[in-house]
Amino acid sequence: MARRFAIQRGRFSMLAAVTLGSFALIAVPATAAHAEVFFDEGGCVVQQVTDGAPAGGSQCAGVDFGGVSMGQAAFMGANLAGANLSGSKLQAANFTGANIEGADFTDAQIEGADFTDSGILPGTITAEAADASGAPIEFAPVVPAGLTAGDCMIVDVPVASGTVFPVGDSGMVCKFSSSNGTALAVVKIQVTPHPEQTEAPTPLFTDEPGQAPTATSTRQPADWGLIAAVGGGAVVVLALGVAAMVISRRRPVAATGDDDVAEPDDDDAPKAPGL
C-alpha cells in the first residue's frame, strides 16, 4: 500500500512539474514580446514607441549608441546631450521633448523620425501682433552634428523666417536630413491680438492750467480750408461788386448845364428816370 502511494505521489509531482514548466514556457515569450528594450544601462533605458518612454525620460547623456539598431525608439523627454548616435538605425524614432545638444547623428538613419521640441526648433513660438495683419515670426534651426536643416512648410508652401503670421494659432512642419533619410519637427505659432489702447485721447484744445474757462476756450479749431473757401468767395463777390459799380458810373446822366457832363447820344434809347 505504501509503495502504491509513493508511486502515485511521484506521478503527481512529475505532472505538476510538467504543467508548471509549460506555463513558464508560455509566460516567458509573452513577457519578451511585450516590450523590446534596445538599451538598458544605468538610468538609460530605450525601448519602442509602442511601449512608451520611461517615466521621467531616459538619462542617456554621453552614451555611445554608435551603430545600434533602434527603429521606432522612444526617446521622448530623454537627455541625449553629447550622445553618440552616429551610424544608428533610428527610423521612425520619437525625439519629442528630448535634449539632443551636442549629440552626433552622422550617417544615422533618421527616416520618419520626429524631432519636435528637441532643441532644433522650439515646439511653440508666441508673439504679439504688431497690427491687424499679425506678427512677423523669426526662427533659426540649431542642428546637431550630422543633420542639415531643410525647409519649413505650411501646406507645401515654404515659410521663411520673418514671415507675418495672422492672429491665432498656426502650424508649420520643418524638415531635417542626414546622409540616410529625412526627419521632421512640428512648430506651433501663437499670435495674440495687439492690446487695445486704454489711455484717453489727448483733446485738441484744453484750458491753460490754473485758469478759469473762458468763452474762447471752447472754440473749435480753425478750419483753414473753410476759411480759404469763404475768403475766395468773398474776393469773387467783392470783384463782382467793383465791376458793377464801374459799369454804373459809366452810364449817362441828365444834363445839368455843365460843359464837362457828357450828353447822351441821339441813338441812345430814352432812359427811365433815376437810371
Side-chain angles (χ1 to χ4, degrees), residues 236-256:
V236 173
V237 172
L238 180 60
L240 293 176
V242 172
M245 184 176 64
V246 172
I247 293 173
S248 64
R249 298 278 294 180
R250 294 184 59 187
R251 289 182 176 177
V253 296
T256 60

Side-chain angles (χ1 to χ4, degrees), residues 48-68:
Q48 282 190 330
V49 173
T50 53
D51 300 309
S58 295
Q59 301 303 313
C60 305
V63 173
D64 185 3
F65 295 105
V68 177

Side-chain angles (χ1 to χ4, degrees), residues 181-194:
T182 302
L184 56 83
V186 178
V187 181
K188 183 178 181 180
I189 311 295
Q190 291 181 327
V191 178
T192 58
H194 192 278

Side-chain angles (χ1 to χ4, degrees), residues 31-49:
T31 303
H34 178 263
E36 181 177 354
V37 179
F38 300 117
F39 193 92
D40 187 354
E41 184 176 323
C44 180
V45 179
V46 183
Q47 56 196 31
Q48 282 190 330
V49 173

